Amino acid sequence: MSRLGGGADGGLLVWLQRAAQHSELQGRVGPGLQGRGREAASCAVWMLRVQVGQNTAQSETMSGANEDDIPQVERKTVTDFCYLLDKSKQLFNGLRDLPQYGQKQWQSYFGRTFDVYTKLWKFQQQHRQVLDNRYGLKRWQIGEIASKIGQLYYHYYLRTSETSYLNEAFSFYSAIRQRSYYSQVTKEDRPELVVKKLRYYARFIVVCLLLNKMDVVKDLVKELSDEIEDYTHRFNTEDQLEWNLVLQEVAAFIEADPVMVLNDDNTIVIISNRLSEGSGPALEQGMVVGQLMLADALIIGNCNNQVKFSELTIDMFRMLQALEREPMNLTSQMNKPGLQDPAEKPMKRENPHKYLLYKPTFSQLYTFLAASFKELPANSALLIYLSATGIFPTGRSDYEGPYDFGGVLTNSNRDVVNGDAVHKRNQSYKEMHCLHPGDLYPFTRKPLFIIVDSSNSVAYKNFTNLFGQPLVCLLSPTSYPKALQDHSQRGSLFTLFLNNPLMGFLFISGLSSMRKGLWEKCQDHVRKINRDIAQLLTHSRSIDQAFLQFFGDEFLRLLLTRFIFCSAILRMHKSFRETRNYPETYPPLPRDELLENLHLQKQILELASILDVRNLYLESTMDEY
């Protein structure tokens, strides 16, 4: 892992520049790029003084020396620093103008930006004393450079979906905190500098959440709270409510998991739900599956009143982690024996690329979907995850087509009340701000894997496979027992099962905490169940071939086994007795061979016995018929 004083300014950033120019990784820029800082004025004033060569009191530098007293070498040092600082800001600000979708347009630009920041960081390290004396370089300005590098790594992660870059972003953000680069900001009577510090904290929190560093998150939240209180007290600003909302959001995000795993000393165990070695069922001899690989995913969140932080709902966060591997340290990866070219791809294939879309409009969603579809490699699959409020049909139609079942909500700029009023006057029209199943038909020309978590998920089981390509839809229950409905703000039960099936099982079993040893024992049992599900699915005689086509990819294989695990458990739980309480699929999965398989039910009852909750489950769903 790089550090500010060492590897980051040399090998790793240079390597990342090369990777940005040569690799085939994909991605998009995320929100939150900053504008140019006010400190640029210092450079402009310095350059003007050097050019004009004034010899008056007004032309004194920040150190109090006269321009003519400054050696030429030191003048050139400050001039070069100003050039690099200005160039770095121009390039950084230009990131927002790059297309948010597409593979190659951004790579060379990111490479140039990293290159300039590498030079800028090394330059200020090598000439710190001259810059302190002649330019008046402040520690918060050094922190701003480091923060920008951290942001570059974070946005490179968003572009590539490679979790290793999160470690690098964390490294820079952490060093800013350890070295107290922003500690002197409070002494300056400039509220915009304090806002820079607050934004740094918010960005650092996002990276820590993505890395599951919850202990650090809690410390940062406390520090941010103190900073906000001081900021609002000193400057009496109008954005106090906005910053307090940030604190409330992150607090709710941290507490969203319904189950705590505890060490013997009652400290909380941090559970990672990313793909790691042995966490998913492996392909075994005799399993005949397709060779499709998951290359691209759209993760869409548009649920009303769901816990979120930044532009990431808890459902989006959970699905994002289900589609990623555990982060690796880039520096250690570079130094592996026999690795000649640091721009080479990792030993394991990279994560599927993801677009994260929070409350997109229909046109935005369609634009990103079309870009993913266009650039999907051969023998690859596209995943669409929809976590959104259901939109139901407004009237009956003689012909039930792909636009007659409703769908899920897309964002709209118009007022909701006005929209409802228009809708009531035009009952025969379809809802405009809705993603209907028919809207996805053009994209079924390539292998498509759809997950819908919505109160109207069943609209998507009315698909027609027009082009004969592999097509699977995993659909959430449309309703839950009353006791569970109050927890919807903390995320969907269905997505929780896809992210962490054991936590989902514990939640519906009424368990809110457990010891680490028991958790690990249960996890071993869940892994065994998943292996058995993989055997049952691949040996089924009646299963639709589409499921087998996707089963060769380890991410999709894990999602499918978790889906079947979830479906089997909900069918056995005594509180889930209505058909709408169960997940569904298109095409349908065989019930006897998979969803209500007697061997699978026996395994689930054994898990329930370990947790002493067997009384909550039916001994067999056959008892119901």
Side-chain angles (χ1 to χ4, degrees):
M1 187 179 293
S2 60
R3 288 291 179 265
L4 285 175
D9 40 326
L12 187 51
L13 280 175
V14 172
W15 176 84
L16 189 49
Q17 179 205 3
R18 294 176 63 189
Q21 291 171 332
H22 299 297
S23 76
E24 297 177 355
L25 299 176
Q26 317 170 40
R28 78 174 180 92
V29 154
L33 299 182
Q34 282 188 326
R36 298 177 64 177
R38 205 172 110 180
E39 67 272 14
S42 300
C43 282
V45 171
W46 173 270
M47 299 287 283
L48 182 62
R49 288 171 181 167
V50 170
Q51 292 170 3
V52 176
Q54 291 178 332
N55 196 17
T56 64
Q58 283 96 358
S59 65
E60 290 181 0
T61 65
M62 295 180 187
S63 63
N66 194 287
E67 292 288 347
D68 292 343
D69 298 334
I70 301 175
Q72 186 65 33
V73 174
E74 294 185 4
R75 270 192 210 205
K76 186 176 185 307
T77 296
V78 176
T79 303
D80 289 349
F81 174 77
C82 288
Y83 170 78
L84 285 172
L85 186 63
D86 192 56
K87 185 68 175 176
S88 68
K89 289 175 182 174
Q90 289 178 18
L91 288 168
F92 192 91
N93 293 337
L95 293 174
R96 70 182 65 170
D97 299 323
L98 294 176
Q100 291 186 318
Y101 46 84
Q103 297 182 45
K104 299 177 181 178
Q105 300 95 325
W106 59 276
Q107 291 176 351
S108 61
Y109 192 96
F110 254 82
R112 291 199 304 275
T113 307
F114 267 108
D115 187 41
V116 170
Y117 271 97
T118 300
K119 293 175 181 175
L120 177 63
W121 185 257
K122 293 178 71 173
F123 193 89
Q124 65 83 23
Q125 283 183 317
Q126 294 165 357
H127 304 284
R128 180 73 58 81
Q129 186 172 356
V130 173
L131 293 173
D132 284 347
N133 295 334
R134 302 303 186 190
Y135 175 74
L137 184 67
K138 294 181 170 58
R139 289 186 65 77
W140 67 261
Q141 292 173 302
I142 302 170
E144 273 295 282
I145 298 171
S147 179
K148 290 289 199 302
I149 295 173
Q151 289 177 63
L152 284 174
Y153 273 118
Y154 172 67
H155 291 302
Y156 205 81
Y157 156 73
L158 291 179
R159 286 276 184 178
T160 64
S161 299
E162 176 50 63
T163 46
S164 301
Y165 299 118
L166 285 174
N167 277 334
E168 306 308 310
F170 175 83
S171 177
F172 276 89
Y173 285 146
S174 182
I176 292 170
R177 180 169 171 243
Q178 291 168 2
R179 300 181 186 186
S180 305
Y181 280 131
Y182 283 118
S183 62
Q184 301 301 311
V185 163
T186 52
K187 295 183 179 180
E188 303 199 27
D189 192 26
R190 292 172 57 185
E192 70 273 17
L193 291 185
V194 182
V195 170
K196 285 178 182 288
K197 185 176 184 179
L198 299 182
R199 288 177 178 169
Y200 151 73
Y201 269 108
R203 294 187 181 104
F204 195 6
I205 288 170
V206 169
V207 169
C208 290
L209 284 172
L210 290 168
L211 287 171
N212 292 312
K213 296 182 181 290
M214 294 304 176
D215 291 341
V216 181
V217 170
K218 290 174 182 176
D219 291 340
L220 291 174
V221 169
K222 186 179 185 307
E223 292 174 23
L224 177 58
S225 178
D226 294 340
E227 293 289 345
I228 291 171
E229 185 176 348
D230 179 69
Y231 166 65
T232 54
H233 177 73
R234 286 177 60 207
F235 298 106
N236 193 26
T237 60
E238 297 179 356
D239 56 354
Q240 179 178 0
L241 290 178
E242 295 176 21
W243 283 110
N244 285 334
L245 180 61
V246 169
L247 289 174
Q248 292 170 19
E249 285 184 349
V250 70
F253 209 92
I254 295 171
E255 296 169 0
D257 281 352
V259 179
M260 288 188 300
V261 182
L262 303 173
N263 286 308
D264 291 337
D265 59 358
N266 286 334
T267 56
I268 297 175
V269 179
I270 305 303
I271 305 298
S272 176
N273 299 307
R274 287 188 170 95
L275 185 66
S276 59
E277 200 71 39
S279 62
L283 289 178
E284 300 176 10
Q285 191 171 3
M287 291 184 177
V288 180
V289 297
Q291 301 301 310
L292 291 173
M293 306 300 277
L294 179 60
D296 231 276
L298 272 75
I299 298 178
I300 298 154
N302 196 9
C303 277
N304 295 327
N305 302 320
Q306 191 175 96
V307 168
K308 75 172 190 70
F309 183 63
S310 186
E311 293 194 339
L312 200 65
T313 67
I314 190 67
D315 277 356
M316 293 172 67
F317 175 74
R318 286 169 176 162
M319 183 50 59
L320 172 146
Q321 297 215 326
L323 298 176
E324 290 183 345
R325 303 177 192 281
E326 283 295 334
M328 293 179 63
N329 187 300
L330 284 178
T331 307
S332 64
Q333 192 178 8
M334 285 173 56
N335 296 330
K336 283 182 180 177
L339 189 59
Q340 302 299 319
D341 184 359
E344 284 184 8
K345 290 184 179 180
M347 295 292 288
K348 281 192 168 186
R349 72 180 184 88
E350 62 270 14
N351 296 320
H353 166 255
K354 298 177 293 297
Y355 289 122
L356 306 176
L357 303 179
Y358 173 67
K359 293 195 171 182
T361 63
F362 177 82
S363 59
Q364 288 170 334
L365 194 159
Y366 229 58
T367 300
F368 282 92
L369 184 52
S372 289
F373 178 84
K374 177 185 176 184
E375 297 177 345
L376 196 68
N379 300 316
S380 297
L382 170 63
L383 183 147
I384 303 172
Y385 170 78
L386 297 165
S387 168
T389 302
I391 296 292
F392 296 90
T394 55
R396 292 187 177 181
S397 173
D398 294 335
Y399 165 71
E400 290 192 337
Y403 288 88
D404 293 315
F405 300 99
V408 298
L409 180 70
T410 56
N411 203 13
S412 157
N413 294 325
R414 68 180 181 177
D415 185 82
V416 175
V417 175
N418 291 339
D420 287 344
V422 170
H423 207 65
K424 288 173 183 176
R425 291 197 302 269
N426 300 284
Q427 289 290 322
S428 61
Y429 295 138
K430 309 304 178 190
E431 172 57 49
M432 288 174 54
H433 301 284
C434 170
L435 186 72
H436 298 269
D439 294 324
L440 299 179
Y441 275 27
F443 305 102
T444 61
R445 288 175 169 86
K446 293 182 180 180
L448 191 60
F449 195 98
I450 302 170
I451 302 173
V452 184
D453 195 338
S454 172
S455 56
N456 192 27
S457 60
V458 291
Y460 295 83
K461 76 174 183 179
N462 299 292
F463 255 102
T464 302
N465 192 339
L466 300 175
F467 303 104
Q469 291 294 313
L471 172 64
V472 162
C473 302
L474 306 184
L475 311 172
S476 72
T478 57
S479 177
Y480 294 102
K482 212 166 191 179
L484 298 177
Q485 291 173 4
D486 296 338
H487 295 268
S488 59
Q489 286 189 338
R490 297 169 67 179
S492 163
L493 176 65
F494 179 66
T495 296
L496 179 63
F497 264 103
L498 296 182
N499 169 261
N500 189 326
L502 178 54
M503 190 167 287
F505 181 79
L506 295 172
F507 177 54
I508 65 170
S509 300
L511 301 174
S512 59
S513 66
M514 70 177 348
R515 295 292 172 187
K516 182 181 177 182
L518 182 57
W519 170 270
E520 291 174 346
K521 180 180 179 180
C522 292
Q523 280 284 45
D524 288 340
H525 196 81
V526 170
R527 279 190 280 269
K528 182 179 185 304
I529 292 175
N530 277 339
R531 288 195 296 271
D532 290 347
I533 291 173
Q535 287 282 355
L536 292 170
L537 189 146
T538 52
H539 289 84
S540 170
R541 296 182 179 182
S542 57
I543 193 168
D544 192 284
Q545 289 298 303
F547 292 100
L548 298 176
Q549 289 293 317
F550 291 116
F551 209 69
D553 179 89
E554 55 189 321
F555 290 104
L556 298 180
R557 182 163 65 249
L558 193 56
L559 288 173
L560 282 169
T561 54
R562 286 175 173 176
F563 174 88
I564 293 169
F565 179 77
C566 170
S567 186
I569 285 174
L570 298 190
R571 288 167 182 270
M572 294 180 68
H573 198 291
K574 292 178 181 178
S575 297
F576 291 74
R577 300 289 15 110
E578 298 182 45
T579 304
R580 59 183 184 156
N581 296 157
Y582 307 141
E584 297 193 54
T585 62
Y586 171 88
L589 282 168
R591 194 176 72 187
D592 292 342
E593 286 185 303
L594 275 174
L595 304 180
E596 298 184 3
N597 180 277
L598 293 177
H599 173 71
L600 179 56
Q601 291 183 349
K602 180 182 176 183
Q603 296 273 48
I604 291 170
L605 289 173
E606 288 178 8
L607 178 61
S609 296
I610 293 172
L611 295 166
D612 197 25
V613 293
R614 186 161 177 156
N615 61 304
L616 299 178
Y617 296 89
L618 299 171
E619 289 297 313
S620 170
T621 53
M622 297 304 293
D623 299 342
E624 294 288 289
Y625 305 113

Coordinates of all heavy atoms in Angstrom, one line a residue, residues 575-625:
S575 N -44.2 -17.9 8.7 CA -44.9 -16.6 8.5 C -45.0 -16.2 7.1 O -45.8 -15.3 6.8 CB -44.0 -15.5 9.2 OG -44.0 -15.7 10.6
F576 N -44.3 -16.9 6.2 CA -44.4 -16.6 4.8 C -45.4 -17.6 4.1 O -44.9 -18.6 3.6 CB -43.0 -16.7 4.1 CG -42.1 -15.6 4.6 CD1 -41.5 -15.6 5.8 CD2 -41.8 -14.5 3.7 CE1 -40.6 -14.6 6.2 CE2 -40.9 -13.5 4.1 CZ -40.3 -13.6 5.4
R577 N -46.6 -17.3 4.1 CA -47.6 -18.3 3.6 C -48.4 -17.9 2.4 O -49.1 -18.6 1.8 CB -48.6 -18.6 4.7 CG -48.0 -19.2 6.0 CD -47.5 -20.6 6.0 NE -47.2 -21.3 4.8 CZ -46.0 -21.6 4.3 NH1 -44.9 -21.1 4.9 NH2 -45.8 -22.3 3.2
E578 N -48.2 -16.7 1.9 CA -48.8 -16.2 0.7 C -47.9 -16.4 -0.5 O -46.7 -16.2 -0.4 CB -49.3 -14.8 0.8 CG -50.3 -14.5 1.9 CD -50.7 -13.1 1.9 OE1 -51.0 -12.5 0.8 OE2 -50.8 -12.5 3.0
T579 N -48.4 -16.6 -1.7 CA -47.6 -16.8 -2.9 C -46.8 -15.5 -3.1 O -45.6 -15.6 -3.6 CB -48.5 -17.1 -4.1 OG1 -49.3 -18.2 -3.8 CG2 -47.7 -17.3 -5.3
R580 N -47.3 -14.4 -2.9 CA -46.6 -13.1 -3.2 C -45.4 -12.9 -2.2 O -44.6 -12.0 -2.3 CB -47.5 -11.9 -3.1 CG -48.3 -11.8 -1.8 CD -49.3 -10.6 -1.9 NE -49.9 -10.4 -0.6 CZ -50.4 -9.2 -0.2 NH1 -50.4 -8.2 -1.1 NH2 -51.0 -9.1 1.0
N581 N -45.3 -13.8 -1.1 CA -44.2 -13.7 -0.2 C -42.9 -14.4 -0.8 O -41.9 -14.3 -0.1 CB -44.5 -14.3 1.1 CG -45.6 -13.6 1.9 OD1 -46.3 -14.2 2.7 ND2 -45.9 -12.4 1.6
Y582 N -43.1 -15.0 -1.9 CA -42.0 -15.8 -2.4 C -41.3 -15.2 -3.7 O -42.0 -14.6 -4.5 CB -42.4 -17.3 -2.8 CG -43.2 -18.0 -1.7 CD1 -44.3 -18.8 -2.0 CD2 -42.8 -17.9 -0.4 CE1 -45.0 -19.4 -1.1 CE2 -43.5 -18.5 0.6 CZ -44.6 -19.3 0.3 OH -45.3 -20.0 1.3
P583 N -40.0 -15.3 -3.8 CA -39.4 -14.9 -5.0 C -39.8 -15.7 -6.2 O -40.3 -16.8 -6.1 CB -37.9 -15.0 -4.8 CG -37.8 -15.3 -3.3 CD -39.1 -15.9 -2.9
E584 N -39.7 -15.1 -7.4 CA -40.0 -15.9 -8.6 C -38.9 -15.7 -9.7 O -38.0 -14.8 -9.5 CB -41.4 -15.4 -9.2 CG -42.6 -15.6 -8.3 CD -43.9 -15.4 -9.0 OE1 -44.1 -16.1 -10.1 OE2 -44.7 -14.6 -8.5
T585 N -39.0 -16.4 -10.7 CA -38.0 -16.3 -11.8 C -38.7 -16.4 -13.2 O -39.8 -16.9 -13.3 CB -36.9 -17.4 -11.7 OG1 -37.6 -18.7 -11.9 CG2 -36.2 -17.4 -10.4
Y586 N -37.9 -15.8 -14.1 CA -38.2 -16.1 -15.5 C -36.9 -16.6 -16.1 O -35.9 -15.9 -16.0 CB -38.7 -14.9 -16.3 CG -38.8 -15.1 -17.8 CD1 -40.0 -15.7 -18.3 CD2 -37.7 -14.9 -18.6 CE1 -40.0 -16.0 -19.7 CE2 -37.8 -15.2 -20.0 CZ -38.9 -15.7 -20.5 OH -39.0 -16.0 -21.8
P587 N -36.9 -17.8 -16.8 CA -38.0 -18.8 -16.8 C -38.2 -19.4 -15.4 O -37.3 -19.3 -14.6 CB -37.4 -19.8 -17.8 CG -36.2 -19.2 -18.4 CD -35.7 -18.2 -17.5
P588 N -39.3 -20.1 -15.2 CA -39.5 -20.7 -13.9 C -38.5 -21.8 -13.5 O -38.0 -22.5 -14.4 CB -40.9 -21.3 -14.0 CG -41.5 -20.7 -15.2 CD -40.4 -20.3 -16.1
L589 N -38.1 -21.8 -12.3 CA -37.2 -22.9 -11.8 C -38.1 -24.1 -11.4 O -39.2 -23.9 -10.9 CB -36.4 -22.4 -10.6 CG -35.2 -21.5 -10.8 CD1 -34.7 -20.9 -9.5 CD2 -34.1 -22.3 -11.5
P590 N -37.6 -25.3 -11.6 CA -38.3 -26.5 -11.2 C -38.5 -26.5 -9.6 O -37.6 -26.4 -8.9 CB -37.5 -27.7 -11.6 CG -36.1 -27.1 -11.9 CD -36.3 -25.6 -12.2
R591 N -39.8 -26.7 -9.2 CA -40.1 -26.6 -7.8 C -39.6 -27.8 -7.0 O -39.0 -27.7 -6.0 CB -41.6 -26.4 -7.6 CG -42.0 -26.0 -6.2 CD -43.4 -25.7 -6.1 NE -44.2 -26.9 -6.1 CZ -45.5 -27.0 -6.2 NH1 -46.2 -25.9 -6.2 NH2 -46.2 -28.2 -6.2
D592 N -40.0 -29.0 -7.5 CA -39.7 -30.2 -6.8 C -38.2 -30.5 -6.8 O -37.6 -31.0 -5.8 CB -40.4 -31.4 -7.4 CG -41.9 -31.3 -7.2 OD1 -42.3 -30.5 -6.3 OD2 -42.7 -32.0 -7.9
E593 N -37.5 -30.3 -7.9 CA -36.1 -30.6 -8.0 C -35.2 -29.6 -7.2 O -34.1 -29.9 -6.8 CB -35.6 -30.6 -9.4 CG -36.1 -31.8 -10.2 CD -35.5 -31.9 -11.6 OE1 -35.8 -30.9 -12.3 OE2 -34.9 -32.9 -11.9
L594 N -35.7 -28.3 -7.1 CA -34.8 -27.3 -6.5 C -35.5 -26.5 -5.3 O -35.1 -26.7 -4.2 CB -34.5 -26.2 -7.6 CG -33.3 -26.6 -8.5 CD1 -33.1 -25.6 -9.6 CD2 -32.0 -26.6 -7.6
L595 N -36.5 -25.8 -5.6 CA -37.1 -24.9 -4.6 C -37.7 -25.6 -3.4 O -37.6 -25.1 -2.3 CB -38.2 -24.0 -5.2 CG -37.7 -23.2 -6.5 CD1 -38.8 -22.3 -7.0 CD2 -36.5 -22.3 -6.1
E596 N -38.2 -26.8 -3.6 CA -38.8 -27.5 -2.5 C -38.2 -28.9 -2.4 O -38.8 -29.9 -2.0 CB -40.3 -27.6 -2.6 CG -41.0 -26.2 -2.6 CD -42.5 -26.2 -2.6 OE1 -43.0 -27.4 -2.6 OE2 -43.1 -25.2 -2.6
N597 N -36.9 -29.0 -2.8 CA -36.2 -30.3 -2.7 C -36.1 -30.8 -1.3 O -35.7 -30.0 -0.4 CB -34.8 -30.1 -3.4 CG -34.0 -31.3 -3.3 OD1 -33.4 -31.6 -2.3 ND2 -34.0 -32.0 -4.5
L598 N -36.4 -32.0 -1.1 CA -36.4 -32.6 0.3 C -35.0 -32.5 1.0 O -34.9 -32.3 2.2 CB -37.0 -34.0 0.3 CG -38.5 -34.1 -0.1 CD1 -38.9 -35.6 -0.1 CD2 -39.3 -33.3 0.9
H599 N -34.0 -32.9 0.2 CA -32.6 -32.8 0.7 C -32.3 -31.4 1.1 O -31.7 -31.2 2.2 CB -31.6 -33.3 -0.3 CG -30.2 -33.2 0.1 ND1 -29.6 -34.0 1.1 CD2 -29.2 -32.3 -0.3 CE1 -28.4 -33.6 1.3 NE2 -28.1 -32.6 0.4
L600 N -32.6 -30.4 0.3 CA -32.3 -29.0 0.6 C -33.1 -28.6 1.9 O -32.5 -27.9 2.7 CB -32.7 -28.2 -0.6 CG -32.5 -26.7 -0.4 CD1 -31.0 -26.3 -0.1 CD2 -32.9 -26.0 -1.8
Q601 N -34.3 -29.0 2.0 CA -35.1 -28.6 3.2 C -34.5 -29.2 4.4 O -34.5 -28.6 5.5 CB -36.6 -29.1 3.0 CG -37.3 -28.3 1.9 CD -38.8 -28.7 1.8 OE1 -39.2 -29.7 2.3 NE2 -39.5 -27.9 1.0
K602 N -34.0 -30.5 4.3 CA -33.4 -31.1 5.5 C -32.2 -30.3 5.9 O -31.9 -30.1 7.1 CB -33.0 -32.5 5.1 CG -32.3 -33.3 6.2 CD -31.9 -34.7 5.8 CE -31.1 -35.4 6.9 NZ -30.6 -36.7 6.5
Q603 N -31.4 -29.8 5.0 CA -30.2 -29.0 5.3 C -30.6 -27.7 6.0 O -29.9 -27.2 6.9 CB -29.4 -28.7 4.0 CG -28.8 -29.9 3.3 CD -27.5 -30.3 3.8 OE1 -27.3 -30.3 5.1 NE2 -26.5 -30.5 2.9
I604 N -31.7 -27.1 5.5 CA -32.1 -25.8 6.1 C -32.6 -26.1 7.5 O -32.3 -25.3 8.4 CB -33.2 -25.2 5.2 CG1 -32.6 -24.7 3.9 CG2 -33.9 -24.0 6.0 CD1 -33.6 -24.3 2.9
L605 N -33.3 -27.2 7.8 CA -33.7 -27.5 9.1 C -32.6 -27.7 10.1 O -32.6 -27.4 11.2 CB -34.7 -28.7 9.1 CG -36.1 -28.5 8.5 CD1 -36.8 -29.8 8.3 CD2 -36.8 -27.5 9.3
E606 N -31.5 -28.3 9.5 CA -30.3 -28.5 10.4 C -29.7 -27.2 10.8 O -29.2 -27.0 11.9 CB -29.3 -29.4 9.6 CG -29.6 -30.8 9.4 CD -28.6 -31.6 8.6 OE1 -27.5 -31.1 8.3 OE2 -28.9 -32.8 8.3
L607 N -29.7 -26.2 9.8 CA -29.2 -24.9 10.1 C -30.1 -24.2 11.2 O -29.6 -23.6 12.1 CB -29.2 -24.0 8.9 CG -28.7 -22.6 9.0 CD1 -27.3 -22.5 9.5 CD2 -28.9 -21.8 7.7
A608 N -31.4 -24.4 11.1 CA -32.3 -23.9 12.1 C -32.1 -24.5 13.4 O -32.2 -23.8 14.5 CB -33.8 -24.1 11.6
S609 N -31.8 -25.8 13.4 CA -31.5 -26.5 14.7 C -30.2 -25.9 15.4 O -30.2 -25.8 16.6 CB -31.4 -28.0 14.5 OG -32.6 -28.5 14.0
I610 N -29.2 -25.7 14.6 CA -28.0 -25.1 15.2 C -28.3 -23.8 15.9 O -27.7 -23.5 16.9 CB -26.9 -24.8 14.0 CG1 -26.5 -26.2 13.4 CG2 -25.7 -24.1 14.5 CD1 -25.6 -26.0 12.2
L611 N -29.2 -23.0 15.3 CA -29.6 -21.7 15.9 C -30.8 -21.8 16.9 O -31.2 -20.7 17.4 CB -29.9 -20.7 14.8 CG -28.7 -20.4 13.9 CD1 -29.1 -19.7 12.6 CD2 -27.7 -19.5 14.6
D612 N -31.3 -23.0 17.1 CA -32.4 -23.2 18.0 C -33.6 -22.4 17.6 O -34.3 -21.8 18.4 CB -32.0 -22.8 19.4 CG -33.0 -23.4 20.5 OD1 -33.6 -24.4 20.2 OD2 -33.1 -22.8 21.6
V613 N -33.9 -22.4 16.3 CA -35.1 -21.7 15.7 C -35.9 -22.6 14.8 O -36.7 -22.2 14.0 CB -34.7 -20.4 15.0 CG1 -34.1 -19.4 15.9 CG2 -33.8 -20.7 13.8
R614 N -35.8 -23.9 15.0 CA -36.4 -24.9 14.1 C -38.0 -24.8 14.2 O -38.7 -25.1 13.3 CB -36.0 -26.3 14.5 CG -36.5 -27.4 13.5 CD -35.7 -28.6 13.6 NE -36.2 -29.7 12.8 CZ -35.5 -30.7 12.3 NH1 -34.2 -30.7 12.6 NH2 -36.0 -31.6 11.5
N615 N -38.5 -24.3 15.3 CA -39.9 -24.2 15.5 C -40.5 -23.2 14.6 O -41.8 -23.1 14.4 CB -40.2 -23.8 17.0 CG -39.6 -22.5 17.4 OD1 -38.4 -22.3 17.2 ND2 -40.5 -21.6 17.8
L616 N -39.7 -22.3 14.0 CA -40.2 -21.3 13.1 C -40.5 -21.8 11.7 O -41.0 -21.1 10.8 CB -39.3 -20.1 13.0 CG -39.0 -19.3 14.3 CD1 -38.0 -18.2 14.1 CD2 -40.3 -18.7 14.8
Y617 N -40.0 -23.0 11.4 CA -40.0 -23.5 10.0 C -40.8 -24.8 9.9 O -40.8 -25.6 10.9 CB -38.6 -23.8 9.5 CG -37.8 -22.5 9.5 CD1 -37.1 -22.0 10.6 CD2 -37.8 -21.7 8.3 CE1 -36.4 -20.8 10.5 CE2 -37.1 -20.5 8.2 CZ -36.4 -20.1 9.4 OH -35.8 -18.9 9.3
L618 N -41.4 -25.0 8.8 CA -42.2 -26.3 8.5 C -41.2 -27.4 8.3 O -40.1 -27.2 7.8 CB -43.0 -26.1 7.2 CG -44.1 -25.0 7.2 CD1 -44.6 -24.9 5.8 CD2 -45.2 -25.4 8.1
E619 N -41.6 -28.6 8.8 CA -40.7 -29.7 8.6 C -40.5 -30.1 7.1 O -39.5 -30.6 6.7 CB -41.2 -30.9 9.4 CG -41.1 -30.8 10.9 CD -39.7 -30.7 11.4 OE1 -38.9 -31.5 10.9 OE2 -39.4 -29.8 12.2
S620 N -41.6 -29.8 6.4 CA -41.5 -30.0 4.9 C -42.7 -29.2 4.3 O -43.8 -29.2 4.9 CB -41.7 -31.5 4.6 OG -41.9 -31.7 3.2
T621 N -42.4 -28.6 3.2 CA -43.5 -27.8 2.5 C -44.5 -28.8 1.9 O -45.6 -28.3 1.5 CB -42.9 -26.9 1.4 OG1 -42.1 -27.7 0.5 CG2 -42.0 -25.8 2.0
M622 N -44.2 -30.0 1.8 CA -45.1 -31.0 1.3 C -46.3 -31.1 2.2 O -47.4 -31.5 1.8 CB -44.5 -32.4 1.1 CG -43.3 -32.4 0.1 SD -43.9 -31.8 -1.6 CE -45.0 -33.1 -2.0
D623 N -46.1 -30.7 3.5 CA -47.2 -30.8 4.5 C -48.3 -29.8 4.1 O -49.5 -29.9 4.5 CB -46.7 -30.4 5.9 CG -45.7 -31.4 6.3 OD1 -45.6 -32.5 5.8 OD2 -44.9 -31.0 7.3
E624 N -48.0 -28.8 3.2 CA -49.0 -27.8 2.9 C -49.9 -28.2 1.7 O -50.9 -27.6 1.4 CB -48.2 -26.5 2.4 CG -47.4 -25.8 3.5 CD -48.3 -25.1 4.5 OE1 -48.9 -24.1 4.1 OE2 -48.5 -25.7 5.6
Y625 N -49.6 -29.3 1.1 CA -50.4 -29.7 -0.1 C -51.3 -30.9 0.2 O -51.0 -31.7 1.1 CB -49.4 -30.0 -1.3 CG -48.5 -28.9 -1.6 CD1 -47.1 -29.0 -1.4 CD2 -49.0 -27.7 -2.1 CE1 -46.3 -28.0 -1.7 CE2 -48.2 -26.6 -2.3 CZ -46.8 -26.8 -2.1 OH -46.0 -25.7 -2.4

